[in-house]
Amino acid sequence: MQNRRDFIKKSCSACLGIAGMGLITSQLSGCAPMPIFKSETKLKIIEVPLNLFNDEKKMIIVRNKQVCFDILLIKISDIKYNAIEMKCSHQDNSLTVTKTGLFCSSHGSTFDLEGNVTMEPALEPLKKFKTEINNSFAKIFI
Ligand code: FES
């Protein structure tokens, strides 16, 4: 009985240690919080002000109730923006943004900033929405 208690005690300590390392790792890889632009429009075009972007801030999460998943809007150049649905093409899990693309925590698929698969098990690219730059807005056609 004593051996079983010792085993559980040691196992729990090891788990806490691993959990602690995970926390430290995520803090070290340290991402600043991704800005979220919430749009209330009921139109099929979401307009995102371009002044939300700058040299350091090239990605914004766009949220609108008409779309089930958030959209990652990425500034590629002054005239090109990518709008990618943050829904994994493998089994519809929501995705996490990294510096170089998107990551799925369900089974580990990764995607680049064009929505292409960079690591399976996902095989299909992510859905992209048409975008257009107009005056001081990026328009996303949902
Ligand atoms: S649901 Fe994203 S990799 Fe499986």
Side-chain angles (χ1 to χ4, degrees), residues 87-95 103-111 119-122:
K87 174 176 124 182
C88 184
S89 59
H90 181 232
Q91 289 181 358
D92 299 347
N93 188 50
S94 61
L95 298 170
F103 168 73
C104 181
S105 60
S106 280
H107 310 106
S109 289
T110 58
F111 305 86
M119 187 182 296
E120 295 181 6

Side-chain angles (χ1 to χ4, degrees), residues 43-140:
L43 301 173
K44 291 294 178 191
I45 301 172
I46 300 173
E47 292 187 323
V48 182
L50 294 178
N51 64 8
L52 296 177
F53 293 87
N54 59 41
D55 288 344
E56 284 139 32
K57 203 187 316 169
K58 295 188 183 280
M59 295 192 273
I60 290 178
I61 293 173
V62 178
R63 189 167 289 165
N64 180 278
K65 287 183 179 162
Q66 296 182 90
V67 284
C68 296
F69 288 82
D70 289 340
I71 298 169
L72 181 63
L73 184 62
I74 308 152
K75 181 179 181 180
I76 304 295
S77 72
D78 285 344
I79 56 168
K80 185 181 179 199
Y81 284 74
N82 284 344
I84 298 174
E85 186 176 42
M86 294 176 65
K87 174 176 124 182
C88 184
S89 59
H90 181 232
Q91 289 181 358
D92 299 347
N93 188 50
S94 61
L95 298 170
T96 303
V97 182
T98 67
K99 283 182 183 171
T100 55
L102 296 110
F103 168 73
C104 181
S105 60
S106 280
H107 310 106
S109 289
T110 58
F111 305 86
D112 65 18
L113 296 177
E114 294 287 335
N116 300 311
V117 177
T118 51
M119 187 182 296
E120 295 181 6
L123 299 172
E124 300 294 320
L126 302 176
K127 178 180 177 179
K128 286 171 79 173
F129 297 94
K130 181 183 169 215
T131 59
E132 192 178 286
I133 306 306
N134 187 345
N135 297 323
S136 51
F137 292 94
K139 291 182 172 185
I140 305 170

